[in-house]
Amino acid sequence: MKKFFTVVGLAALFVTGSAVPAHASETPTTVQQEQKQEFTPYEAVQTVHDQKGTEAELKVDQYPSSNEEGQTYYQVEALDPSLIEQGEDGLLRTYHVYEDGRILVI
């Protein structure tokens, strides 16, 4: 299975997707309510930024994963752009961010 990643800087977050209703009878309000109820990659990045106060660039899995207990989380990686420019992977730290605001450092 392929994993899709979004690289996130502090200035912008690019998350692909569409809020276009699948059916003509489905109203945008319904779609917005459904989207608001699910935990998004953007919220995971904001949680890391707010709780950890990191200035690193953050890369987040586009889709959530689940742990052994069935709890959903996003994997967020803190990256150092200067290390990437030097040819390294730039990975500083990896987090698992849960909807309830818990962050596990991996």
Side-chain angles (χ1 to χ4, degrees):
M1 178 160 100
K2 290 184 179 179
K3 283 194 174 187
F4 295 92
F5 295 97
T6 303
V7 176
V8 180
L10 295 179
L13 169 69
F14 300 97
V15 177
T16 59
S18 175
V20 176
H23 304 288
S25 63
E26 189 175 3
T27 64
T29 304
T30 304
V31 172
Q32 290 170 352
Q33 289 170 346
E34 288 175 9
Q35 288 178 343
K36 197 168 199 148
Q37 292 173 355
E38 71 180 55
F39 185 48
T40 66
Y42 176 78
E43 291 170 325
V45 168
Q46 279 303 123
T47 300
V48 171
H49 179 68
D50 293 347
Q51 289 188 24
K52 300 297 182 182
T54 182
E55 293 298 321
E57 284 196 22
L58 301 173
K59 179 174 93 173
V60 61
D61 284 356
Q62 193 64 27
Y63 301 101
S65 299
S66 295
N67 64 13
E68 298 81 29
E69 291 86 33
Q71 298 169 328
T72 302
Y73 66 88
Y74 282 99
Q75 182 166 305
V76 178
E77 295 178 343
L79 304 171
D80 183 339
S82 63
L83 291 176
I84 295 170
E85 289 174 7
Q86 296 173 15
E88 298 183 33
D89 68 1
L91 183 63
L92 299 173
R93 194 164 273 121
T94 301
Y95 305 101
H96 285 181
V97 183
Y98 293 85
E99 186 171 9
D100 65 3
R102 286 181 299 135
I103 297 176
L104 298 179
V105 178
I106 304 301

